[in-house]
Each structure stands twice: as C-alpha cells, then as structure tokens.
Amino acid sequence: MTDTPIRQHRLSLARLRELPLWSVVAAGTLAGGLLGGAYGLLTPATYTATSYVIAVPAGKASPDAALGFAQAYGRVATQLAVLGDAQVYAGVPVRILQRSVRTATSPDAPMVAVSATSSQPGLAVDMANAVTRSLTRHADDTRGNTHVRLVQFSRAVEPSEPTSTSTAVTGLVGASAGGLLGGLALLARPRRNGQEEEPAPAPSVPSPAAAADVRGQR
C-alpha cells in the first residue's frame, strides 16, 4: 500500500515528460496573460490633469531671469510651503498632494507644468489648480525681490480618458513575460538520458599474438 503513492507520483512525472516542449511556453504565456489581465482589472484607473503657469519678467528683469526663476518655481511647487496652502483649496491633506502632484519645466520656455493624478477626474483637476494657485500666490509675495511674476497660462481641465495602463496592455505584458519565463525554463532543464553524449571509445590494446609477431620480426 505504501508503494501506491510513489507509483502514482512516478506516473505523473512520466506523463509530464511526455508532453511536447512547446507546452511549457504555452502554459507560461497563458498563466502570465491571466495574471496580467487580473492585475489590470483589480487596479483602479487613474486620471491626470495638468495646469500651466508662465514666468513673466517685471521691471528690470530679463527673459533669462524669468527662465531661471521658472526652473526654481518648478522645484518649489511640491514643497511643503506651497502644498500647505494648496490643501485648503483642494480639500485634501498634504500627504495626498505630495504623493499625487508632479511638476515639469522646460529648458527653453519659462513655463511650469503642474500635474495631479487621482482615481477621480474631478479631484485631479482640483489638486492641479490648487497647487498652481498657491504657487502663483507665493511668487507674488516675492515679486519685489525677484522682479518676476507667475501668470496662469492654462487651467487644468477634467480628463476624458484614464492615463493608467489598460487591461489589454497588462494582459499582453503578462503573456510576454510568461512566455519568456517558459522559454528560459526549457533552456535550463536537465538533459534526458537519451540526449546525453555517448562516451568516447576506449583505446584498443594489441592482443598477445600481435605483440609476439612484432618481436619475431625483430
């Protein structure tokens, strides 16, 4: 009775070895596609809204100075001093703004792009506009020293489509990764006994008669 589980285990291994090699790649592709599709379905969609402000020279400031201050304001926009005021306008805590708001600047134009990401399109719009409003207000407070002011170039609008990866894309990525892992598993599999190289033949040794003949010739 104790031999039955062992025998069944051996039969299962024998059946697995009889499967074609391409079945490993197919199984990996199918499993990866299912996992990638499930990830896309379970992950909530995210929306991104972007607002823009532009630095304008005032008084004796030059366009190059406005460009330099735009780069500085792009780094300051995500700091606590700006986000602390923006949380009042957006109606969310500072930690959510720190996690959801990103800024970008251009080396050629004195413009700052403020982007906010959220699972709610309306909240993404409110956060982006709140940060630009707070940033503009801080720039106005220091305009007497910098001679540069920030002007709102474009308000954020509610996005119509999510910016997160779709379920179809995550499924394709998972299927590709699963197929690749299946192919690597085939390359790393141990060789079968029938596929092992045959041992090299042993060197032949002359028989005693042949050796005697050689001595007789001498």
Side-chain angles (χ1 to χ4, degrees):
M1 296 179 62
T2 56
D3 295 339
T4 302
I6 299 176
R7 188 176 303 171
Q8 292 178 352
H9 180 66
R10 290 177 179 175
L11 289 175
S12 300
L13 290 178
R15 291 174 181 174
L16 289 176
R17 290 174 181 174
E18 292 176 356
L19 293 176
L21 297 179
W22 59 264
S23 62
V24 179
V25 179
T29 303
L30 179 60
L34 291 176
L35 291 176
Y39 175 82
L41 288 174
L42 297 177
T43 304
T46 56
Y47 298 84
T48 301
T50 304
S51 60
Y52 299 89
V53 291
I54 187 170
V56 179
K60 300 179 180 180
S62 63
D64 292 337
L67 180 60
F69 276 106
Q71 302 288 333
Y73 286 134
R75 291 188 292 267
V76 172
T78 55
Q79 300 300 317
L80 186 61
V82 177
L83 298 182
D85 294 338
Q87 69 174 343
V88 179
Y89 307 135
V92 296
V94 173
R95 65 178 183 275
I96 295 180
L97 292 175
Q98 290 175 333
R99 185 174 63 248
S100 305
V101 176
R102 296 291 182 270
T103 60
T105 57
S106 172
D108 302 323
M111 183 176 293
V112 182
V114 179
S115 300
T117 303
S118 175
S119 59
Q120 304 175 21
L123 182 58
V125 173
D126 293 340
M127 289 190 295
N129 290 330
V131 173
T132 55
R133 178 180 178 182
S134 177
L135 182 63
T136 303
R137 182 176 177 181
H138 278 268
D140 288 339
D141 294 339
T142 59
R143 185 174 58 180
N145 298 325
T146 62
H147 302 288
V148 173
R149 62 191 182 96
L150 285 182
V151 179
Q152 189 169 38
F153 183 78
S154 175
R155 290 179 58 86
V157 296
E158 185 170 329
S160 58
E161 296 180 357
T163 54
S164 56
T165 307
S166 63
T167 304
V169 174
T170 56
L172 289 176
V173 172
S176 301
L180 178 60
L181 292 177
L184 293 176
L186 287 179
L187 294 177
R189 76 187 191 282
R191 289 177 174 268
R192 295 181 180 178
N193 294 331
Q195 297 178 346
E196 294 180 354
E197 298 180 356
E198 296 182 357
S204 60
V205 180
S207 60
D213 293 340
V214 173
R215 286 195 299 271
Q217 292 177 359
R218 293 180 182 178

